[in-house]
Amino acid sequence: MRFTLATSNLHKRDEIGAILTALGISPVEIQTLRDLPHIASPAEDGDSFFENARIKALAVSSAVDGCVLADDSGLEADALNGRPGIHSARYAGEGASSEECVQKLLRETAGVPRQNRSARFVCVMVLARGKEILAEARGVCEGYIAEAPAGSGGFGYDPVFWLPEYRRTMAEIPQAEKNRISHRADALKRLEKPLRAALRLS
């Protein structure tokens, strides 16, 4: 069984693969746009996570056979009116590193009291085949913006995403636990039934 993940981000591929295994959807071969250099990554110019995920799902599903799963995700900080949101990956500018994006976030939330540092990771997934959307799901993980990075696990904003129930950042908890509670895990759980059907696993 195989599907195409509409991204070049290998961290996302590995995380999604691990979550699917935990859900009992395995073995599945996941190819990414790195395996398909002839397919250009579409411009993510939508106004929401759903719009961007749909753009990617429809563009890639028009160019490959089989199922395509597109993920658009990011961090919403309440103190910043939902920023960085859909601009999370490029928050510090085009080509900026994750560390630079994290540092910009910390500068913009400097001095904000703990009770106002609430935030959430959001993930929207869209399943498509042959330019047709089969299913959509939105996953969320609630937390707070930490005042300084901590932990070496995960990627992106994980080192500054504080989970109050663990008293640690997302980057400090075991990967298996992250794969159970993350926004991406939440979205995949909601998408499990149509994904199983699409992969003929029902």
Side-chain angles (χ1 to χ4, degrees):
M1 297 176 294
R2 181 175 75 176
F3 69 84
T4 301
L5 186 61
T7 184
S8 297
N9 188 322
L10 299 184
H11 290 297
K12 286 188 179 183
R13 180 202 62 186
D14 294 345
E15 193 169 289
I16 287 171
I19 295 168
L20 291 178
T21 297
L23 291 174
I25 305 178
S26 64
V28 177
E29 179 186 349
I30 304 175
Q31 66 177 1
T32 71
L33 297 184
R34 292 198 182 202
D35 304 307
L36 304 165
H38 61 288
I39 299 178
S41 182
E44 299 177 37
D45 52 6
D47 294 326
S48 68
F49 292 117
F50 270 109
E51 286 187 18
N52 283 334
R54 289 169 188 148
I55 288 169
K56 290 184 280 188
L58 292 174
V60 176
S61 70
S62 70
V64 300
D65 294 326
C67 295
V68 171
L69 184 65
D71 159 308
D72 198 54
S73 51
L75 178 71
E76 295 180 343
D78 291 329
L80 302 178
N81 297 314
R83 297 196 318 272
I86 61 173
H87 305 294
S88 293
R90 297 169 294 279
Y91 195 42
E94 201 68 40
S97 67
S98 294
E99 291 76 15
E100 289 170 321
C101 291
V102 164
Q103 289 304 315
K104 179 177 180 179
L105 176 69
L106 291 178
R107 287 194 302 272
E108 293 198 336
T109 55
V112 175
R114 167 67 186 277
Q115 66 269 23
N116 296 333
R117 300 179 74 85
S118 54
R120 67 207 49 81
F121 274 130
V122 176
C123 172
V124 164
M125 289 188 174
V126 174
L127 181 66
R129 182 196 285 127
K131 295 190 291 185
E132 178 187 358
I133 292 176
L134 305 178
E136 303 178 333
R138 179 179 185 267
V140 175
C141 180
E142 297 284 349
Y144 291 83
I145 304 299
E147 294 181 355
S152 58
F155 60 97
Y157 294 92
D158 286 356
V160 291
F161 190 74
W162 177 260
L163 298 163
E165 63 269 40
Y166 294 91
R167 301 189 64 80
R168 296 179 182 179
T169 69
M170 188 75 89
E172 293 180 292
I173 66 173
Q175 186 65 41
E177 189 64 12
K178 177 187 175 183
N179 291 344
R180 188 181 70 83
I181 67 166
S182 73
H183 53 313
R184 204 159 281 119
D186 189 25
L188 277 172
K189 289 171 188 173
R190 298 174 188 277
L191 207 62
E192 180 180 357
K193 186 174 181 179
L195 181 57
R196 284 183 181 274
L199 294 173
R200 295 183 174 87
L201 286 175
S202 56

